[in-house]
Amino acid sequence: MRGRGRGGDARTRILDAAEELFAADGYEATSTARVARRAGVPKGLVFHYFPQKIDLLVALVEERTHIEEPGAAPTAEDTARDPAGALARLARRLPLRASPAMRRILFREADTHRSVRDRLHALNRAVLHRARAALEIALPGARGDAARLEAAAATFTAVLLYQENLAHLTGHHVDPEAVAELIARSLGT
Amino acid sequence: MRGRGRGGDARTRILDAAEELFAADGYEATSTARVARRAGVPKGLVFHYFPQKIDLLVALVEERTHIEEPGAAPTAEDTARDPAGALARLARRLPLRASPAMRRILFREADTHRSVRDRLHALNRAVLHRARAALEIALPGARGDAARLEAAAATFTAVLLYQENLAHLTGHHVDPEAVAELIARSLGT
Amino acid sequence: MRGRGRGGDARTRILDAAEELFAADGYEATSTARVARRAGVPKGLVFHYFPQKIDLLVALVEERTHIEEPGAAPTAEDTARDPAGALARLARRLPLRASPAMRRILFREADTHRSVRDRLHALNRAVLHRARAALEIALPGARGDAARLEAAAATFTAVLLYQENLAHLTGHHVDPEAVAELIARSLGT
Amino acid sequence: MRGRGRGGDARTRILDAAEELFAADGYEATSTARVARRAGVPKGLVFHYFPQKIDLLVALVEERTHIEEPGAAPTAEDTARDPAGALARLARRLPLRASPAMRRILFREADTHRSVRDRLHALNRAVLHRARAALEIALPGARGDAARLEAAAATFTAVLLYQENLAHLTGHHVDPEAVAELIARSLGT
DNA sequence: AATGAATGAGAATTCATTCAT
DNA sequence: AATGAATGAATTCTCATTCAT
């Protein structure tokens, strides 16, 4: 708890501004001056909190993308009757707490700084892990074919995690729930 | 065919350099001076051929990403016996002629200039169209469920087109052939 | 004697830090923030004690370079038998009480602020005066040639006062005792 | 041979300006903007020729302080009759071709960059070497006492090389010719 | 077509200094 | 006395772009 009011506010407003602008225009194309203007703080204050421009990006990634601990795992009973539903539920409980803006930043700036790439990889691993677990529980019959299950989990993870970016980049949306059903049918029986 | 000689060479070398550098570091983070240096030409010459920096990007996209006309469409006989194989063949004959570097540029700089985004959308439409056609021919039984077929085509397109970027971003590769088989199983019978 | 406690400590630590840093990197290249950090005090406190950065330099020069009152002047008996020794003893009792760091600061920052230059000149005058006196007593025969005695005193003062800086700048050390002997031989008989 | 006129001029004018300003105010206290203004060129041009500020200093030292090859060494006949004169002549033919401004820069900025310090040391070695040679020829009798000759050479070098800086710093001038005579008397017979 | 000096707007960053608490 | 957030002017440096040759 900061208790200081304005001081904490300024830092937060700076990060808010950076998040918006990095998402809209990219890290390189966003000047620190614009961040300051948008945040309503003097230029110097940005460097008071973030001595280098890159620290803005690093702070955003560290503070605004949280990979949640998995809650209660789906039980066999939950999923047995409705494998597609189990995946769909996973889709809705994506363990990434990050605004759409932060997802775009993670995605676009993955090469800008190691910390971004690392976070993206960690996130991907987490989602992949949970998708695999969901599939294993939902479709015990599929266990026989590990490679197929792996492909299904990877596909679902890709669609789930990058759906917004894919939509943005391709102009075409892929619905994770439809993919969930597709996969369930493929692995079922 | 353009008259080459010195001039053509220089222009080509400039585009080569821009392609490498834009792919490695991004458009914004690449200065025209570095492009000139890498191309081994004087700084002024870059602006002789490409009056604005953005023209480098536009030229790359226009000249180095070609969406091929579909060759002979797969016949029903080809695919009936091997639906997954039909998709897999599509994977191998991806109608985008573009180096991996150009794919990364298309992908990363989609927001930098309208021409890039347009080309990416056009490409996505072309691949999606062909995947849909392949699925329709390969799996006539699936026609009943248009939505499912659409999801399958979209999923396959995404995996096919972005496989390298997904691998780069996630550290995890998704194999299009495995996805082809997954989809074939799902839509079959 | 000042009432010390916390405040005195902080002020002293600030001056200690400034002395180290000014000597090592120069006044201009040393930021007040670095002084504060090295001193282990908050930035604001530096300006509490020294409202302007230049006050740090002025305070160092005023408080940490003392020109000592000459103690008992050498008597004729002392020096008559050993003129070179008399100069050498002067060398050992250089009337400047200042750390090597402070000498470097005096020397390097002479142009930075009038107070530094003034102190340096005063110091030079004091040493020159004592060297002259020592020579006059030690070498009564030399009195006849005032110009020569003056040159000897000036040379000895230069070597004595700047020996460390000369060594630092030239990579070559000049030994004041050897110069003392040289001068004694020159003026003797 | 540059043959371009203005272009060469601009670079030269920039170095001229830097030399003046560095000598007067020191390297750190001189902004590149002031250098540009004084040189009458736009700010950007300074960085065209000298990508980093320190390159101005390095270029000055490399291009404007030349240590001359010794001309004809003084012969024994030249010096035998007039040892002090031989040293005095050395004083007048100091093998450093550098303006007084450059000498101040060499001296003051020795710690700012390695290249400056190196040049200063090289210069000192060259002068010391020649002073030693002159003394050996002029005062063959002194050969017996190597240590004394060494001290004499070092003293003369210091006075010769740093006379302007010593005068500037101390407010007192030491005349190299008087020191030459002093030394000659000391080593003679 | 080829060249590289010239230009100036704007970028990141530094820093002395102020001030409310 | 102590603190560190706040401020903005100044600094170094970058860069797309122009232009004379």
Side-chain angles (χ1 to χ4, degrees):
Chain A
M1 202 164 298
R2 277 202 159 229
R4 213 65 56 79
R6 283 288 108 180
D9 267 7
R11 189 175 184 281
T12 301
R13 284 206 312 277
I14 291 168
L15 285 179
D16 288 346
E19 182 177 339
E20 283 177 46
L21 294 171
F22 289 174
D25 301 333
Y27 172 82
E28 296 281 358
T30 302
S31 76
T32 55
R34 261 179 85 218
V35 171
R37 216 176 310 132
R38 166 86 57 128
V41 304
K43 251 182 345 177
L45 197 56
V46 172
F47 287 91
H48 178 69
Y49 288 109
F50 307 97
Q52 313 245 91
K53 183 186 174 186
I54 192 70
D55 296 330
L56 280 169
L57 183 58
V58 172
L60 281 176
V61 167
E62 277 176 7
E63 299 174 21
R64 299 194 171 188
T65 65
H66 291 296
I67 300 169
E68 283 187 0
E69 284 307 299
T75 63
E77 293 92 89
D78 280 350
T79 58
R81 271 155 301 200
D82 183 15
L87 284 174
R89 251 171 276 132
L90 169 59
R92 273 180 246 111
R93 281 182 298 167
L94 186 63
L96 172 67
R97 282 285 155 264
S99 64
M102 278 310 308
R103 293 199 204 181
R104 296 225 55 220
I105 293 172
L106 269 181
F107 193 62
R108 186 180 204 281
E109 308 301 342
D111 287 336
T112 305
H113 195 262
R114 163 160 286 279
S115 68
V116 185
R117 173 104 71 110
D118 288 349
R119 182 68 64 135
L120 195 59
H121 283 192
L123 171 65
N124 196 77
R125 271 197 309 277
V127 175
L128 186 59
H129 181 78
R130 295 192 62 179
R132 207 185 281 123
L135 286 173
E136 278 169 354
I137 292 173
L139 304 159
R143 268 190 204 145
D145 192 344
R148 188 168 299 140
L149 194 142
E150 200 56 39
T155 301
F156 189 66
T157 298
V159 168
L160 189 52
L161 206 48
Y162 296 104
Q163 49 179 314
E164 284 148 3
N165 287 300
L166 289 171
H168 181 79
L169 290 171
T170 63
H172 229 90
H173 193 251
V174 184
D175 178 22
E177 306 224 358
V179 176
E181 213 208 308
L182 197 77
I183 287 173
R185 274 179 64 104
S186 177
L187 298 185
T189 348
Chain B
M1 200 165 296
R2 128 159 9 118
R4 287 238 177 55
R6 287 267 115 185
D9 268 7
R11 189 176 185 281
T12 301
R13 283 208 311 278
I14 290 168
L15 285 179
D16 289 347
E19 182 176 338
E20 282 177 47
L21 294 172
F22 290 174
D25 301 333
Y27 172 82
E28 295 281 357
T30 302
S31 74
T32 55
R34 256 178 91 217
V35 172
R37 217 177 308 133
R38 166 86 58 126
V41 304
K43 231 171 19 167
L45 199 55
V46 172
F47 285 90
H48 178 72
Y49 289 111
F50 307 96
Q52 314 246 98
K53 183 187 174 187
I54 193 69
D55 296 331
L56 281 168
L57 183 58
V58 172
L60 281 176
V61 168
E62 277 176 6
E63 300 175 20
R64 299 194 172 188
T65 65
H66 291 297
I67 300 169
E68 282 187 359
E69 284 309 298
T75 63
E77 293 91 88
D78 279 351
T79 58
R81 271 155 301 198
D82 182 15
L87 285 174
R89 252 172 277 131
L90 170 58
R92 271 180 248 111
R93 280 181 299 169
L94 185 63
L96 173 67
R97 282 285 155 263
S99 64
M102 278 311 308
R103 292 199 204 180
R104 298 228 54 222
I105 292 172
L106 269 181
F107 194 61
R108 189 181 203 281
E109 306 301 341
D111 288 336
T112 304
H113 195 261
R114 165 159 285 279
S115 68
V116 185
R117 172 105 69 111
D118 289 349
R119 181 68 63 136
L120 195 59
H121 284 193
L123 171 65
N124 196 77
R125 270 197 311 278
V127 176
L128 185 59
H129 181 79
R130 295 192 62 179
R132 206 186 282 122
L135 285 173
E136 278 169 354
I137 293 172
L139 303 157
R143 263 183 209 156
D145 192 344
R148 188 168 299 139
L149 192 142
E150 199 56 38
T155 301
F156 189 67
T157 299
V159 168
L160 190 51
L161 206 47
Y162 295 105
Q163 50 179 313
E164 283 149 4
N165 286 301
L166 288 171
H168 181 78
L169 291 171
T170 64
H172 228 90
H173 193 252
V174 184
D175 178 21
E177 306 224 357
V179 176
E181 213 209 309
L182 197 77
I183 286 172
R185 275 180 62 104
S186 177
L187 297 185
T189 344
Chain C
M1 200 164 296
R2 134 161 3 121
R4 287 237 177 57
R6 286 267 116 185
D9 268 6
R11 189 176 185 280
T12 301
R13 285 207 311 278
I14 290 168
L15 284 179
D16 289 347
E19 181 177 338
E20 283 177 47
L21 294 172
F22 290 173
D25 301 333
Y27 171 82
E28 296 281 357
T30 302
S31 73
T32 55
R34 256 178 90 219
V35 172
R37 217 176 310 133
R38 166 86 58 127
V41 304
K43 231 170 21 167
L45 199 55
V46 172
F47 286 89
H48 179 72
Y49 288 111
F50 308 96
Q52 314 246 98
K53 182 186 175 187
I54 193 69
D55 296 331
L56 281 168
L57 183 59
V58 172
L60 281 176
V61 168
E62 277 175 6
E63 300 174 21
R64 299 194 172 188
T65 66
H66 292 296
I67 299 169
E68 282 187 0
E69 283 309 299
T75 62
E77 293 91 89
D78 279 351
T79 59
R81 271 155 300 199
D82 184 13
L87 284 174
R89 252 172 277 132
L90 170 58
R92 272 180 248 111
R93 281 181 298 168
L94 187 63
L96 173 67
R97 283 284 156 264
S99 63
M102 277 310 308
R103 294 200 204 179
R104 298 226 54 222
I105 292 171
L106 269 181
F107 193 62
R108 191 182 201 280
E109 307 300 343
D111 288 336
T112 304
H113 195 260
R114 165 158 286 279
S115 68
V116 184
R117 172 105 70 112
D118 289 349
R119 181 68 65 135
L120 195 58
H121 284 194
L123 172 65
N124 196 77
R125 270 198 309 277
V127 176
L128 186 59
H129 180 77
R130 295 191 62 178
R132 206 186 283 122
L135 285 172
E136 277 168 356
I137 292 173
L139 303 158
R143 264 186 208 152
D145 193 344
R148 188 169 299 140
L149 192 141
E150 200 56 38
T155 300
F156 188 67
T157 299
V159 168
L160 190 51
L161 206 47
Y162 295 104
Q163 50 179 313
E164 284 150 2
N165 286 301
L166 288 171
H168 181 77
L169 291 171
T170 64
H172 228 90
H173 195 250
V174 184
D175 178 21
E177 305 224 358
V179 176
E181 213 208 308
L182 197 77
I183 286 172
R185 276 180 63 103
S186 177
L187 298 184
T189 346
Chain D
M1 200 165 299
R2 279 202 157 229
R4 213 65 55 81
R6 283 287 109 180
D9 267 7
R11 189 176 184 279
T12 302
R13 284 206 313 278
I14 290 168
L15 284 179
D16 289 346
E19 181 177 337
E20 283 176 47
L21 294 172
F22 290 174
D25 301 333
Y27 172 82
E28 296 280 358
T30 301
S31 75
T32 55
R34 261 178 84 216
V35 172
R37 214 177 311 132
R38 165 87 57 129
V41 302
K43 253 182 344 177
L45 197 55
V46 172
F47 288 93
H48 178 68
Y49 288 110
F50 307 97
Q52 314 245 90
K53 184 186 173 186
I54 193 70
D55 296 331
L56 280 169
L57 183 58
V58 172
L60 281 176
V61 167
E62 277 176 7
E63 299 175 21
R64 299 194 171 189
T65 65
H66 292 295
I67 300 169
E68 283 187 359
E69 284 307 299
T75 62
E77 294 91 271
D78 279 351
T79 58
R81 271 155 300 201
D82 182 14
L87 285 175
R89 252 171 277 132
L90 169 59
R92 272 179 248 110
R93 281 182 297 168
L94 186 63
L96 173 67
R97 282 285 154 263
S99 64
M102 278 310 308
R103 293 200 203 179
R104 298 226 53 221
I105 292 172
L106 270 181
F107 194 61
R108 187 181 203 280
E109 308 300 343
D111 288 336
T112 305
H113 195 262
R114 165 158 284 278
S115 68
V116 184
R117 172 103 71 109
D118 288 349
R119 183 66 64 132
L120 195 58
H121 283 192
L123 172 65
N124 196 78
R125 271 197 308 278
V127 175
L128 186 59
H129 181 77
R130 295 193 61 180
R132 208 185 281 122
L135 286 173
E136 278 169 354
I137 292 172
L139 303 159
R143 264 185 208 153
D145 192 343
R148 188 168 299 142
L149 193 142
E150 200 56 38
T155 301
F156 188 67
T157 298
V159 168
L160 190 52
L161 206 48
Y162 296 105
Q163 49 179 313
E164 285 148 2
N165 286 300
L166 289 172
H168 181 79
L169 291 171
T170 63
H172 229 91
H173 194 251
V174 184
D175 179 21
E177 306 224 359
V179 176
E181 213 209 308
L182 196 77
I183 285 172
R185 276 180 62 104
S186 177
L187 297 185
T189 346

